[in-house]
Amino acid sequence: MFPCKVPILNPPATIDDRPAAPELLAPAGDWLALRAAIAGGADAVYFGLRAGFNARARAANFAPDELGDVMAELRGHSRHGYLTLNTLVFSNEWPALEKIIRQAADAGVDAVLVQDFGAAQLIRAVCPSLALHASTQMTLASPESIEVAQRLGIARVVLPRELNIEQILGVRRACTLGIEVFVHGALCISFSGQCAASLSLGGRSANRGQCAQACRLPYRLLCEGRPLRATGSYPLSPNDLAALDLIPQLTAAGVDALKIEGRMKGPDYVFAVTSAYRKAIDRCMEESRGLAAGVPTIDLSALPSERPKASPIDAGNAFSGTFSRGFSHGWLECERPPDLVAGQQPGHRGQTLGTIEAVLAAAEDDPSVQQDGRSGPLPRRNTQATDDSGLRPRSTTGSTGRRRQVTARSPALRIRLSADLALGDGIAIYCVEPLGQAPEESVARSKRRRQRKSAEVQPAAIAAESLATNVVGGRVVAISAFPDGQRLQRAAAGQTVVIALGRWPKTPVAIRPGMAVFKTDDSSAQPPPLPEKSAIDVRVRAVAGEPLTLTAQFPGGRVCRVSSSEPLASASRRPTDNESVAAAASRFGDTPFSVRRLDVQIEGSPLVPLSVVNRLRRDLIALLLEARRPPSRPTCCQSPLPELRRKTQQILNQVEPAGDSRRSIAPRRGRPSLVVLCRSIEQVSATLEAGGRDLIVDLRDMTDWVRAERLCRQSQAGWMAAVPRIHKPGESPLIERLLESQPDGVLARNLASLALAASQGVAVAADYSLNAVNELSAAWLIEQGASRVTVALDADLGSVDQWIDHFPAELLEIVLHLHVPMFHTAYCPFSADNGHGGTATCPPPLRSPGGPRHSLVTLPVCRPSNDGPQPTTADRKDVQELRGDGRRIEARSCLARCRRGRWRLADRLGIEHTLWPDLACRTTIFHAWPQSAVEWAHRLACRGISRFRIEWPPEMPIEKLAPTLAVYRDVLDGRCDGQTGWRRLRELYPSGLIRGLRKQPRPDQPPAEA
């Protein structure tokens, strides 16, 4: 832990102005993890229910009738409890959600995490005193977006992981809400709430708690068809976040809560990580008292030089026995972190143990290794290293307990240790297979199956061995010192030893010197301790002729008392002694209470039956357990849902009449309109030639916007400007610049752009990235200034039907055809391989003259690479960007590798998906196959929806554009039915076509294992 040496520009006037310690928020997926979080020192615990509506449906979670017990356990240890209801809610699920809200209020839950705008409104209507926390799934990445969400009654916002400390500080200065930041755990490659990979690949929506972790699958990054060298087999699988050494900076930035990810992790993980951060926070507060005011003004540019150099990997050694993929600081220090993705493996990697110096033949006379490859009794196996599904990663260590067949004797490995090692520890060696091997049979079958369905010849599938990392390893059964050969039970870091492993399965990978070895399991790890029991003072009063009384008092002064129903009789022979009464009254056993002091008062020689003492003690325990429960929160008597729905039916009257500036998005009746989103000038021109009259322009070069506007005006076509999907601090000038082109409307993909465009009187359509799937969310977006709401990709046909039953269909827009944006990420995969065996580093901060940093032109500094097309002179030139006030900003350009050549991401089946950077230099990965809801287009038009959308992918054969438009026009006009339209599209796209509006699992259905 490092002292908080943050340069303070506004030192406090008094010592009373001290920064408050941030709240430590730990995860709990079950009872064991809950108690581990309490024992580890968490200030608050967040958890979900098996009834659904939480983003971790695969976790064990808690039953709704356990809510009271959960809150009693937390409140008994002075902890807060936050319930996660952070998924999207369909219209038919409101009654179930309202029931859970009332149960949470009765249990005294402290706060609820929400993603859905409509869910927030229902919670506020049912229980106004229940605090609302905006989940990171809401994607509130700027003060402007947070200001809009605050109208929902939000009390705290969980910021996206993609913000750095400087941006977090900017949010803190501009907002009065509580700020919560992730500091440890798994990182998503995509912005939370904006990932559609699981949905498009397997029909499981991450926004509905069904994430299949598609980012952890093997891929290969291709440029002009050639795989890049240094991207690894898992280019979308980030390392885990570990910000233990950034606690001083986050505290100085005014963060209110530090959050640990891991509701699908085991109790050992929860305890180890929570206790490490508890110690770090406590030490930071001791060292930084009086250094900063409550909302400091600090010079973050001095942080790297004044803070001692420490690798995140070193900081992560505190978690060596827990699950990890390797550690990094994520985006907290840098907008282009060089160590975000290692790309070598997607699961548990463990602690670095060293590298192999030599591979020796196994000794035939080694008594510690039996002929079947097993050793004698080994220490207890550690259960800490669970993966994101809550299960232990499959490995060669025999994780299922079933004996695996051993086909070869284990070689002995000579290693210079960088960490302690003991008999029974598990180790793993990661070996990447070279390219060019024959594909697996399963890949070959998938390839033949696709070829049977398609007249086109599919590209050759990438070899499975080239996409997967082979892992070999096992448990250490012998350790010998080198070179003397002395047998050891345990070896310390720095020693050179020869180790032998037990089970050694057959593998095609040869073990060679220089390979890295990791310790994946620590046999000496102990189970987490139980939380400390609540200390109480117990007093027993036994007086002849009076009822027997037992009294318990909490340290805070609260008293619980029970008495017998009959008075005590006087003893005729042998009065009751103090020792027997004290022994019976102090038996609190397996309860959350411990007797700190016992006072037995006996007067008048009473006869005290021990059975009465035992019964009263049990009654007292029940009373104490009830006293630990937090008070219930008041709720409304009747359901507010009918009134909320009545208001949504009247929302059409709030939309202003369409004028010339709103002709392209205003509600209209009659013939359904078909709007087309174009991502290149060629697509704009071809769409206009094909008869398109409503266009959405989504270009990544500002120079193309002027040409697109000119083409639309010449064709008398309406056009809208699509803003970037994410709005981060300082990016409003970009939206203002787009508005200067005077579009007919704006496609708002975040709350900030919606509010900014609406404030300037521009017509606004809310895009599907705002995740509206119900009438309450749509009505709220209309109230914020939207003229139309696009149905989110997570909705299915049934949910849309139920939505329309309670909402004006004229205000909805359906995307009929698109290549699904599977990932939208701040990570730059184009700079992952720079030709020097490493990654690009962060650019220097860019500042305008006299103004703040302008992050829009902060591009990755990439070195030349021999893998892709070489940069031209124009690519190397510095560029200039305009601020909203007209001042120019000098910006050093990157080498723009993303703009040169065709970039693809090939999956394990050989399907190549498109990578496309947007105007804000954030990358979207589009599915290679289009998704179509043409089968339901006519039905939805009959329900009253009058506006449908087609989205072209970034790189599309222009010759397919007009035929595709014709299919949808014919279906909407009734010239052909949906089935015929589907068959025509299958002929246009023989490589593959995905059905849209597929049915989604219920929120209370845990998905099958991936």
Side-chain angles (χ1 to χ4, degrees), residues 697-720:
V697 179
D698 186 10
L699 305 175
R700 63 184 182 183
D701 294 318
M702 294 300 298
T703 55
D704 290 339
W705 286 86
V706 179
R707 298 173 56 193
E709 178 193 7
R710 186 183 305 115
L711 288 173
C712 292
R713 299 302 184 199
Q714 291 174 353
S715 302
Q716 296 183 348
W719 73 285
M720 300 174 61

mmCIF file of all heavy atoms in Angstrom, residues 697-720:
data_model
loop_
_atom_site.group_PDB
_atom_site.id
_atom_site.type_symbol
_atom_site.label_atom_id
_atom_site.label_comp_id
_atom_site.label_asym_id
_atom_site.label_seq_id
_atom_site.Cartn_x
_atom_site.Cartn_y
_atom_site.Cartn_z
ATOM 1 N N VAL A 697 -27.656 8.899 -41.103
ATOM 2 C CA VAL A 697 -26.253 8.927 -41.505
ATOM 3 C C VAL A 697 -25.399 8.670 -40.272
ATOM 4 O O VAL A 697 -25.500 9.378 -39.271
ATOM 5 C CB VAL A 697 -25.890 10.284 -42.137
ATOM 6 C CG1 VAL A 697 -24.430 10.312 -42.523
ATOM 7 C CG2 VAL A 697 -26.780 10.541 -43.353
ATOM 8 N N ASP A 698 -24.570 7.627 -40.351
ATOM 9 C CA ASP A 698 -23.669 7.244 -39.257
ATOM 10 C C ASP A 698 -22.274 7.061 -39.845
ATOM 11 O O ASP A 698 -21.879 5.949 -40.208
ATOM 12 C CB ASP A 698 -24.172 5.962 -38.591
ATOM 13 C CG ASP A 698 -23.361 5.588 -37.366
ATOM 14 O OD1 ASP A 698 -22.542 6.418 -36.925
ATOM 15 O OD2 ASP A 698 -23.539 4.472 -36.851
ATOM 16 N N LEU A 699 -21.558 8.168 -39.962
ATOM 17 C CA LEU A 699 -20.246 8.161 -40.591
ATOM 18 C C LEU A 699 -19.167 8.388 -39.545
ATOM 19 O O LEU A 699 -19.409 8.982 -38.501
ATOM 20 C CB LEU A 699 -20.167 9.240 -41.671
ATOM 21 C CG LEU A 699 -21.259 9.173 -42.751
ATOM 22 C CD1 LEU A 699 -21.149 10.363 -43.682
ATOM 23 C CD2 LEU A 699 -21.170 7.869 -43.526
ATOM 24 N N ARG A 700 -17.962 7.955 -39.862
ATOM 25 C CA ARG A 700 -16.870 8.070 -38.896
ATOM 26 C C ARG A 700 -15.876 9.165 -39.262
ATOM 27 O O ARG A 700 -14.942 9.415 -38.515
ATOM 28 C CB ARG A 700 -16.141 6.741 -38.771
ATOM 29 C CG ARG A 700 -15.452 6.252 -40.029
ATOM 30 C CD ARG A 700 -14.855 4.884 -39.811
ATOM 31 N NE ARG A 700 -14.148 4.392 -40.986
ATOM 32 C CZ ARG A 700 -13.576 3.189 -41.064
ATOM 33 N NH1 ARG A 700 -13.652 2.377 -40.025
ATOM 34 N NH2 ARG A 700 -12.950 2.796 -42.150
ATOM 35 N N ASP A 701 -16.046 9.824 -40.426
ATOM 36 C CA ASP A 701 -15.187 10.923 -40.831
ATOM 37 C C ASP A 701 -16.030 12.173 -41.005
ATOM 38 O O ASP A 701 -17.033 12.159 -41.732
ATOM 39 C CB ASP A 701 -14.456 10.601 -42.153
ATOM 40 C CG ASP A 701 -13.477 9.456 -42.003
ATOM 41 O OD1 ASP A 701 -12.772 9.436 -40.971
ATOM 42 O OD2 ASP A 701 -13.423 8.582 -42.883
ATOM 43 N N MET A 702 -15.607 13.251 -40.341
ATOM 44 C CA MET A 702 -16.381 14.481 -40.384
ATOM 45 C C MET A 702 -16.485 15.042 -41.800
ATOM 46 O O MET A 702 -17.482 15.684 -42.149
ATOM 47 C CB MET A 702 -15.747 15.523 -39.463
ATOM 48 C CG MET A 702 -15.793 15.154 -37.989
ATOM 49 S SD MET A 702 -17.477 14.934 -37.364
ATOM 50 C CE MET A 702 -18.156 16.566 -37.621
ATOM 51 N N THR A 703 -15.495 14.794 -42.629
ATOM 52 C CA THR A 703 -15.551 15.317 -43.995
ATOM 53 C C THR A 703 -16.669 14.676 -44.805
ATOM 54 O O THR A 703 -17.178 15.289 -45.757
ATOM 55 C CB THR A 703 -14.205 15.090 -44.696
ATOM 56 O OG1 THR A 703 -13.874 13.688 -44.637
ATOM 57 C CG2 THR A 703 -13.097 15.881 -44.010
ATOM 58 N N ASP A 704 -17.051 13.457 -44.471
ATOM 59 C CA ASP A 704 -18.107 12.782 -45.216
ATOM 60 C C ASP A 704 -19.495 13.293 -44.850
ATOM 61 O O ASP A 704 -20.439 13.093 -45.608
ATOM 62 C CB ASP A 704 -18.044 11.273 -44.973
ATOM 63 C CG ASP A 704 -16.825 10.631 -45.615
ATOM 64 O OD1 ASP A 704 -16.275 11.242 -46.553
ATOM 65 O OD2 ASP A 704 -16.421 9.548 -45.173
ATOM 66 N N TRP A 705 -19.621 13.926 -43.677
ATOM 67 C CA TRP A 705 -20.941 14.410 -43.281
ATOM 68 C C TRP A 705 -21.439 15.502 -44.233
ATOM 69 O O TRP A 705 -22.638 15.556 -44.555
ATOM 70 C CB TRP A 705 -20.889 14.932 -41.846
ATOM 71 C CG TRP A 705 -20.810 13.852 -40.824
ATOM 72 C CD1 TRP A 705 -19.687 13.239 -40.367
ATOM 73 C CD2 TRP A 705 -21.903 13.233 -40.141
ATOM 74 N NE1 TRP A 705 -20.007 12.283 -39.435
ATOM 75 C CE2 TRP A 705 -21.362 12.255 -39.278
ATOM 76 C CE3 TRP A 705 -23.281 13.411 -40.185
ATOM 77 C CZ2 TRP A 705 -22.149 11.463 -38.454
ATOM 78 C CZ3 TRP A 705 -24.077 12.626 -39.363
ATOM 79 C CH2 TRP A 705 -23.515 11.653 -38.510
ATOM 80 N N VAL A 706 -20.542 16.373 -44.661
ATOM 81 C CA VAL A 706 -20.939 17.447 -45.578
ATOM 82 C C VAL A 706 -21.415 16.865 -46.896
ATOM 83 O O VAL A 706 -22.442 17.289 -47.456
ATOM 84 C CB VAL A 706 -19.759 18.411 -45.793
ATOM 85 C CG1 VAL A 706 -20.139 19.523 -46.773
ATOM 86 C CG2 VAL A 706 -19.315 19.003 -44.465
ATOM 87 N N ARG A 707 -20.724 15.868 -47.409
ATOM 88 C CA ARG A 707 -21.136 15.228 -48.659
ATOM 89 C C ARG A 707 -22.475 14.524 -48.499
ATOM 90 O O ARG A 707 -23.334 14.579 -49.382
ATOM 91 C CB ARG A 707 -20.065 14.237 -49.100
ATOM 92 C CG ARG A 707 -18.710 14.871 -49.392
ATOM 93 C CD ARG A 707 -17.663 13.804 -49.667
ATOM 94 N NE ARG A 707 -18.061 12.925 -50.768
ATOM 95 C CZ ARG A 707 -17.459 11.771 -51.055
ATOM 96 N NH1 ARG A 707 -16.434 11.358 -50.309
ATOM 97 N NH2 ARG A 707 -17.870 11.039 -52.068
ATOM 98 N N ALA A 708 -22.680 13.839 -47.355
ATOM 99 C CA ALA A 708 -23.947 13.150 -47.126
ATOM 100 C C ALA A 708 -25.098 14.142 -47.059
ATOM 101 O O ALA A 708 -26.187 13.892 -47.613
ATOM 102 C CB ALA A 708 -23.858 12.339 -45.837
ATOM 103 N N GLU A 709 -24.879 15.266 -46.387
ATOM 104 C CA GLU A 709 -25.938 16.280 -46.308
ATOM 105 C C GLU A 709 -26.280 16.805 -47.700
ATOM 106 O O GLU A 709 -27.463 16.965 -48.051
ATOM 107 C CB GLU A 709 -25.480 17.422 -45.407
ATOM 108 C CG GLU A 709 -26.487 18.552 -45.310
ATOM 109 C CD GLU A 709 -25.907 19.793 -44.676
ATOM 110 O OE1 GLU A 709 -24.684 19.811 -44.436
ATOM 111 O OE2 GLU A 709 -26.672 20.746 -44.443
ATOM 112 N N ARG A 710 -25.259 17.051 -48.494
ATOM 113 C CA ARG A 710 -25.499 17.582 -49.835
ATOM 114 C C ARG A 710 -26.295 16.597 -50.685
ATOM 115 O O ARG A 710 -27.236 16.988 -51.403
ATOM 116 C CB ARG A 710 -24.165 17.908 -50.502
ATOM 117 C CG ARG A 710 -24.314 18.613 -51.848
ATOM 118 C CD ARG A 710 -22.961 18.852 -52.510
ATOM 119 N NE ARG A 710 -22.067 19.585 -51.628
ATOM 120 C CZ ARG A 710 -20.948 19.072 -51.142
ATOM 121 N NH1 ARG A 710 -20.607 17.813 -51.443
ATOM 122 N NH2 ARG A 710 -20.163 19.785 -50.359
ATOM 123 N N LEU A 711 -25.945 15.310 -50.612
ATOM 124 C CA LEU A 711 -26.657 14.302 -51.396
ATOM 125 C C LEU A 711 -28.121 14.210 -50.978
ATOM 126 O O LEU A 711 -29.019 14.105 -51.824
ATOM 127 C CB LEU A 711 -25.978 12.943 -51.229
ATOM 128 C CG LEU A 711 -24.617 12.749 -51.905
ATOM 129 C CD1 LEU A 711 -24.009 11.416 -51.508
ATOM 130 C CD2 LEU A 711 -24.764 12.837 -53.419
ATOM 131 N N CYS A 712 -28.384 14.253 -49.671
ATOM 132 C CA CYS A 712 -29.765 14.155 -49.191
ATOM 133 C C CYS A 712 -30.576 15.383 -49.592
ATOM 134 O O CYS A 712 -31.745 15.269 -50.000
ATOM 135 C CB CYS A 712 -29.774 13.976 -47.683
ATOM 136 S SG CYS A 712 -29.133 12.391 -47.112
ATOM 137 N N ARG A 713 -29.975 16.561 -49.504
ATOM 138 C CA ARG A 713 -30.701 17.773 -49.875
ATOM 139 C C ARG A 713 -31.003 17.783 -51.369
ATOM 140 O O ARG A 713 -32.102 18.189 -51.782
ATOM 141 C CB ARG A 713 -29.867 19.000 -49.514
ATOM 142 C CG ARG A 713 -29.540 19.158 -48.039
ATOM 143 C CD ARG A 713 -30.750 19.214 -47.166
ATOM 144 N NE ARG A 713 -30.381 19.463 -45.766
ATOM 145 C CZ ARG A 713 -31.178 19.209 -44.738
ATOM 146 N NH1 ARG A 713 -32.398 18.704 -44.950
ATOM 147 N NH2 ARG A 713 -30.773 19.464 -43.510
ATOM 148 N N GLN A 714 -30.055 17.325 -52.175
ATOM 149 C CA GLN A 714 -30.286 17.296 -53.618
ATOM 150 C C GLN A 714 -31.408 16.332 -53.987
ATOM 151 O O GLN A 714 -32.161 16.577 -54.941
ATOM 152 C CB GLN A 714 -29.001 16.911 -54.337
ATOM 153 C CG GLN A 714 -27.912 17.966 -54.277
ATOM 154 C CD GLN A 714 -26.608 17.491 -54.873
ATOM 155 O OE1 GLN A 714 -26.450 16.309 -55.238
ATOM 156 N NE2 GLN A 714 -25.629 18.408 -54.982
ATOM 157 N N SER A 715 -31.530 15.243 -53.239
ATOM 158 C CA SER A 715 -32.579 14.252 -53.518
ATOM 159 C C SER A 715 -33.866 14.543 -52.763
ATOM 160 O O SER A 715 -34.816 13.751 -52.857
ATOM 161 C CB SER A 715 -32.077 12.848 -53.158
ATOM 162 O OG SER A 715 -30.908 12.522 -53.874
ATOM 163 N N GLN A 716 -33.892 15.652 -52.003
ATOM 164 C CA GLN A 716 -35.055 16.025 -51.203
ATOM 165 C C GLN A 716 -35.454 14.891 -50.257
ATOM 166 O O GLN A 716 -36.632 14.577 -50.078
ATOM 167 C CB GLN A 716 -36.230 16.415 -52.099
ATOM 168 C CG GLN A 716 -35.959 17.645 -52.947
ATOM 169 C CD GLN A 716 -37.166 18.053 -53.769
ATOM 170 O OE1 GLN A 716 -38.130 17.302 -53.881
ATOM 171 N NE2 GLN A 716 -37.109 19.240 -54.355
ATOM 172 N N ALA A 717 -34.449 14.277 -49.683
ATOM 173 C CA ALA A 717 -34.663 13.179 -48.740
ATOM 174 C C ALA A 717 -34.413 13.687 -47.325
ATOM 175 O O ALA A 717 -33.515 14.502 -47.092
ATOM 176 C CB ALA A 717 -33.742 12.001 -49.046
ATOM 177 N N GLY A 718 -35.200 13.207 -46.382
ATOM 178 C CA GLY A 718 -34.962 13.539 -44.990
ATOM 179 C C GLY A 718 -33.792 12.738 -44.436
ATOM 180 O O GLY A 718 -33.581 11.584 -44.823
ATOM 181 N N TRP A 719 -33.036 13.362 -43.562
ATOM 182 C CA TRP A 719 -31.884 12.639 -43.008
ATOM 183 C C TRP A 719 -31.697 13.004 -41.550
ATOM 184 O O TRP A 719 -32.008 14.109 -41.107
ATOM 185 C CB TRP A 719 -30.619 12.912 -43.812
ATOM 186 C CG TRP A 719 -30.036 14.280 -43.613
ATOM 187 C CD1 TRP A 719 -30.489 15.450 -44.113
ATOM 188 C CD2 TRP A 719 -28.864 14.592 -42.842
ATOM 189 N NE1 TRP A 719 -29.709 16.485 -43.725
ATOM 190 C CE2 TRP A 719 -28.685 15.996 -42.941
ATOM 191 C CE3 TRP A 719 -27.953 13.847 -42.102
ATOM 192 C CZ2 TRP A 719 -27.636 16.658 -42.317
ATOM 193 C CZ3 TRP A 719 -26.900 14.500 -41.479
ATOM 194 C CH2 TRP A 719 -26.752 15.882 -41.585
ATOM 195 N N MET A 720 -31.204 12.032 -40.806
ATOM 196 C CA MET A 720 -30.912 12.196 -39.394
ATOM 197 C C MET A 720 -29.440 11.912 -39.159
ATOM 198 O O MET A 720 -28.818 11.137 -39.889
ATOM 199 C CB MET A 720 -31.764 11.238 -38.537
ATOM 200 C CG MET A 720 -33.262 11.421 -38.674
ATOM 201 S SD MET A 720 -34.155 10.155 -37.769
ATOM 202 C CE MET A 720 -33.606 10.468 -36.096
#
